[in-house]
Amino acid sequence: DSGVTQTPKHLITATGQRVTLRCSPRSGDLSVYWYQQSLDQGLQFLIQYYNGEERAKGNILERFSAQQFPDLHSELNLSSLELGDSALYFCASSSLALGAKETQYFGPGTRLLVL
Amino acid sequence: GENVEQHPSTLSVQEGDSAVIKCTYSDSASNYFPWYKQELGKGPQLIIDIRSNVGEKKDQRIAVTLNKTAKHFSLHITETQPEDSAVYFCAASIGVWGSQGNLIFGKGTKLSVKP
């Protein structure tokens, strides 16, 4: 158990809909990362937040957005869903404190199926 | 941007044999190289990592080597066991203390250890 929690575990929805994925980082970790895992693209970085602020952006579509709240949990919002958005979405967290290990710990993921 | 190539995509070995997975990266500024193991239905789990100021690191049956000049790094698993069967991912990132960059992952290697 990495200490990172994600809900829901599974999500089935229809094209055009909007969903919200939730992540709680390990206790004490200030940084949260979102990754998408699909069969053809592998594990791809989407976006990173650090202590409530966006730190880095990867291959995140404009239909997707994220935020990190004062209690450090994060939400990934996916809107106008398409069939191709079906994938596993992982959240990871790390400390980023000076002198801390840079290890990213991954949650169990949310499996999204768009029908 | 950074690109990570991983080979082979599948690897089958007999129990007790060694397994080697190789990765190359493109950005010479990358300085952190973790390896993750992903079992079916679970999130990636860090198994070993290495920073660019170290050439080799070992943890029991697992070792990682890094050749900065050639920009490649490898995972070595000795005395393989059936429970080592999983998908292994290499990754690279650019980070300094307090500012960990996002991970760029290889496509993964599916390791099967036959009893």
Side-chain angles (χ1 to χ4, degrees):
Chain A
D1 184 3
S2 67
V4 178
T5 60
Q6 288 187 249
T7 56
K9 194 171 176 62
H10 302 278
L11 200 48
I12 301 175
T13 188
T15 55
Q17 295 298 304
R18 172 190 169 94
V19 296
T20 296
L21 313 183
R22 183 187 169 106
C23 166
S24 291
R26 292 189 325 148
S27 177
D29 282 357
L30 298 178
S31 192
V32 168
Y33 310 77
W34 286 97
Y35 293 86
Q36 180 193 58
Q37 185 176 39
S38 60
L39 281 174
D40 56 342
Q41 295 293 326
L43 265 165
Q44 290 218 318
F45 168 70
L46 295 178
I47 196 164
Q48 177 198 2
Y49 278 83
Y50 176 74
N51 204 19
E53 294 188 3
E54 184 184 302
R55 175 66 71 94
K57 251 182 177 178
N59 300 319
I60 188 167
L61 300 172
E62 285 193 11
R63 300 183 285 110
F64 296 179
S65 65
Q67 52 185 328
Q68 186 178 26
F69 295 87
D71 67 352
L72 300 177
H73 91 269
S74 178
E75 293 181 355
L76 179 67
N77 300 296
L78 314 178
S79 61
S80 303
L81 285 167
E82 302 175 359
L83 297 178
D85 297 328
S86 296
L88 271 167
Y89 290 85
F90 288 105
C91 165
S93 75
S94 66
S95 172
L96 292 196
L98 196 62
K101 283 205 66 172
E102 58 265 74
T103 303
Q104 290 187 29
Y105 297 90
F106 281 74
T110 293
R111 184 174 293 276
L112 173 66
L113 180 59
V114 182
L115 300 175
Chain B
E2 175 65 282
N3 182 52
V4 178
E5 300 279 345
Q6 182 172 348
H7 300 280
S9 56
T10 59
L11 181 59
S12 183
V13 300
Q14 286 294 132
E15 182 178 359
D17 287 350
S18 295
V20 180
I21 302 171
K22 299 181 178 182
C23 289
T24 60
Y25 60 98
S26 60
D27 193 334
S28 56
S30 290
N31 60 3
Y32 175 64
F33 307 92
W35 286 87
Y36 284 85
K37 175 184 180 182
Q38 187 176 22
E39 295 174 324
L40 201 60
K42 296 185 178 181
Q45 179 186 7
L46 180 77
I47 54 171
I48 197 167
D49 57 8
I50 192 168
R51 289 187 63 88
S52 58
N53 58 350
V54 176
E56 185 173 358
K57 185 176 178 181
K58 191 173 182 181
D59 182 5
Q60 298 182 341
R61 296 186 298 108
I62 293 172
V64 57
T65 59
L66 171 65
N67 183 326
K68 282 191 297 182
T69 303
K71 289 191 278 188
H72 67 70
F73 55 114
S74 300
L75 177 71
H76 305 253
I77 306 174
T78 59
E79 300 170 22
T80 54
Q81 301 165 3
E83 50 265 39
D84 294 330
S85 297
V87 179
Y88 291 81
F89 292 94
C90 63
S93 78
I94 301 168
V96 297
W97 289 120
S99 180
Q100 173 60 40
N102 54 281
L103 295 172
I104 304 299
F105 284 89
K107 293 288 190 188
T109 296
K110 184 175 182 181
L111 175 64
S112 299
V113 181
K114 299 179 179 178

